[in-house]
Amino acid sequence: MKGIIENLIEELTRLPGIGRRTAQRLAYFILSMPEEEARAIAGAIVDVKEKARFCRECFNITDEELCSICRDGSRERDRLCVVEEPSNIAVIERTNFFRGLYHVLLGSLSPIDGITPERLKLKELKERVEKSGVKEVIIATNPNTRGEMTARYIKELLSPCGVTVTRIAYGLPMGGDIEYADEVTARPWRVGGSSCSGSTLCLRPVFSQGTEHQSIEKSVLFRRCVSLLTVPQRTEESEIM
Amino acid sequence: MKGIIENLIEELTRLPGIGRRTAQRLAYFILSMPEEEARAIAGAIVDVKEKARFCRECFNITDEELCSICRDGSRERDRLCVVEEPSNIAVIERTNFFRGLYHVLLGSLSPIDGITPERLKLKELKERVEKSGVKEVIIATNPNTRGEMTARYIKELLSPCGVTVTRIAYGLPMGGDIEYADEVTARPWRVGGSSCSGSTLCLRPVFSQGTEHQSIEKSVLFRRCVSLLTVPQRTEESEIM
């Protein structure tokens, strides 16, 4: 005897962060929408399930052989940003700061959960770097244990390739408050790199390039980086990479 | 060049309270859902648009001639709860307190917006009360100007029918704080009724019936009601009904 509205409410509560009340509000909103708009939503859901596949090059989600970023001729093809999930690409794209290509790992290393390097798109990353003239790889995995482990693994993996390997910057989030920052985040200019031989792996001020901001900061960063590397004892956190 | 995920994100942002970030989270969640679950959501959306119609009796949303509540033989058929919108039914149903039937007005009176009594299902309410042996009508329109006006109109409309017309209780919301209540809400035992002749119209302790709670409160309420009715001056608010 379940009504169609009840049914829609139940279906919507399957979605994350949508409780009964929100689902109810959405259901009645959908009911009041023009039919073609409601159909467009339903169609978009079905499309995603039917047509979604991984981009042959970067493993982003697409409905074609190559994703729109890989197809885009205006992107810098010698810079790769490595992310864990396809959804991370949108976050970096929103910054409008990076004009290179991406490489999605489809996860992060976690040997305890059985996620070994073979389960991720790491072999494909190495092949891509070797074959397609990539000069710089920016690792944008998450700043947590798994993401750090993955970043470190990539650094080792790419060390024979002679490309620059950098890591997305750590620091205080914009709009944040230094008062509430943890002791790792608030460390001024945390720059790591257990060894800087082979491919260097150091903090870069996000993805900025050639702005006045960076022209000042880069030299400071460099000096800091060098000075840090001469300090013999480092805690685990300062070594993050 | 808009991708299928981008498209889904855009479609989802049409929904109320769903911004870009939430839409993105939902889109990637839908992508990771089993296909049949995603299809069920899409199907439920299309179903609502295709099959939704008003119940012939109560104007609730249904996909059949009569809604599930009107079809339910176990409901008390001599009590009607009048609500503004179909979505309000779910709220009252969730209380598990009311076992009668509903009547949806599909709006509330607002002459300034051109919503006159003819635009609402008021004629149908009167016919229903006259024909189907209803003994009590509980008005659960919103506690605002439009809802109050509508409730007052219904009281007048049904006064020749000899049914008891009551109004859903006003008072402090459960879990609220008397500190922050406005002067109308916090009025102890606000009981109104500009005249109690004909059909009585008074506050009832929500929809409780025959519980110990009510057996005590009802007599108190009655005494209060009577005493209030003997007070000659009343403010507009106390008269709400």
Side-chain angles (χ1 to χ4, degrees), chain A:
Chain A
M1 287 246 283
K2 200 172 62 174
I4 41 175
I5 283 279
E6 261 311 299
N7 182 40
L8 178 57
I9 293 170
E10 246 171 60
E11 290 296 338
L12 291 174
T13 50
R14 287 176 195 271
L15 299 173
I18 300 204
R20 244 202 108 68
R21 256 167 207 264
T22 311
Q24 197 180 313
R25 194 161 43 90
L26 293 179
Y28 281 100
F29 183 87
I30 289 168
L31 186 68
S32 68
M33 268 176 136
E35 178 148 355
E36 62 273 28
E37 283 187 21
R39 277 185 190 281
I41 296 178
I45 293 173
V46 172
D47 266 9
V48 155
K49 291 309 295 180
E50 260 178 9
K51 299 183 188 159
R53 49 189 285 186
F54 292 121
C55 169
R56 197 190 51 194
E57 277 290 309
C58 73
F59 304 97
N60 186 8
I61 302 290
T62 175
D63 53 339
E64 301 192 40
E65 183 86 8
L66 288 176
C67 75
S68 56
I69 295 172
C70 287
R71 283 201 308 271
D72 184 348
S74 71
R75 311 279 307 203
E76 300 165 7
R77 307 196 88 78
D78 55 354
R79 299 171 76 210
L80 276 192
C81 178
V82 178
V83 293
E84 293 181 13
E85 301 293 343
S87 56
N88 301 347
I89 292 180
V91 180
I92 295 175
E93 282 296 285
R94 270 206 304 272
T95 64
N96 274 326
F97 234 66
F98 179 67
R99 293 293 305 158
L101 302 178
Y102 292 91
H103 189 89
V104 184
L105 298 175
L106 299 178
S108 55
L109 289 177
S110 179
I112 208 165
D113 303 312
I115 305 177
T116 49
E118 303 78 55
R119 301 278 297 274
L120 304 180
K121 300 297 178 190
L122 286 162
K123 186 164 63 78
E124 290 80 355
L125 172 63
K126 196 176 179 196
E127 282 171 14
R128 207 174 158 195
V129 168
E130 281 169 346
K131 282 183 193 156
S132 53
V134 171
K135 292 204 186 92
E136 181 177 12
V137 173
I138 299 151
I139 306 173
T141 52
N142 280 322
N144 56 28
T145 318
R146 293 177 57 167
E148 292 307 334
M149 200 192 325
T150 312
R152 194 179 288 232
Y153 185 92
I154 293 171
K155 186 209 146 199
E156 291 302 323
L157 182 75
L158 300 182
S159 64
C161 304
V163 291
T164 311
V165 180
T166 56
R167 181 89 172 90
I168 195 169
Y170 300 99
L172 298 174
M174 209 59 185
D177 193 324
I178 203 166
E179 191 78 16
Y180 303 114
D182 62 276
E183 59 278 25
V184 180
T185 304
R187 200 171 293 194
W189 289 105
R190 277 182 59 254
V191 186
S194 44
S195 89
C196 261
S197 66
S199 47
T200 55
L201 192 60
C202 65
L203 182 93
R204 31 182 296 139
V206 200
F207 290 115
S208 64
Q209 246 197 337
T211 59
E212 317 87 291
H213 169 73
Q214 215 206 4
S215 58
I216 306 161
E217 306 290 51
K218 226 173 186 173
S219 58
V220 178
L221 176 64
F222 179 71
R223 268 181 280 124
R224 290 271 189 165
C225 187
V226 168
S227 67
L228 261 175
L229 287 171
T230 57
V231 177
Q233 269 96 16
R234 275 193 300 275
T235 63
E236 180 56 29
E237 286 90 351
S238 76
E239 274 197 76
I240 282 170
M241 320 197 56

Side-chain angles (χ1 to χ4, degrees), chain B residues 175-191:
Chain B
D177 193 323
I178 203 165
E179 191 78 15
Y180 304 112
D182 62 276
E183 59 277 25
V184 179
T185 304
R187 201 171 293 193
W189 288 106
R190 280 183 56 255
V191 187

Side-chain angles (χ1 to χ4, degrees), chain B residues 30-51:
Chain B
I30 289 168
L31 186 68
S32 68
M33 268 176 135
E35 179 149 355
E36 64 273 25
E37 283 187 20
R39 278 187 188 280
I41 297 178
I45 293 172
V46 173
D47 266 9
V48 155
K49 290 309 295 179
E50 260 178 9
K51 300 183 188 160

Side-chain angles (χ1 to χ4, degrees), chain B residues 46-140:
Chain B
V46 173
D47 266 9
V48 155
K49 290 309 295 179
E50 260 178 9
K51 300 183 188 160
R53 50 190 284 187
F54 293 120
C55 169
R56 196 190 54 196
E57 278 289 309
C58 75
F59 303 96
N60 186 7
I61 302 289
T62 175
D63 53 340
E64 300 192 42
E65 183 86 10
L66 289 175
C67 75
S68 55
I69 295 172
C70 287
R71 284 201 309 271
D72 184 349
S74 71
R75 311 278 308 202
E76 300 164 9
R77 309 196 87 79
D78 55 354
R79 300 172 75 209
L80 277 191
C81 178
V82 178
V83 292
E84 293 181 13
E85 299 294 342
S87 56
N88 301 349
I89 292 181
V91 180
I92 294 175
E93 282 296 284
R94 269 207 302 274
T95 66
N96 274 326
F97 235 66
F98 179 68
R99 294 293 305 160
L101 302 177
Y102 292 92
H103 189 89
V104 184
L105 298 174
L106 299 178
S108 54
L109 288 177
S110 180
I112 207 164
D113 304 311
I115 305 178
T116 49
E118 304 78 55
R119 302 278 298 272
L120 304 181
K121 300 297 176 190
L122 285 163
K123 187 165 63 76
E124 289 81 355
L125 172 64
K126 196 176 180 195
E127 282 171 14
R128 206 175 159 194
V129 167
E130 281 168 345
K131 281 184 193 155
S132 53
V134 172
K135 292 202 184 94
E136 181 176 12
V137 173
I138 300 151
I139 306 172

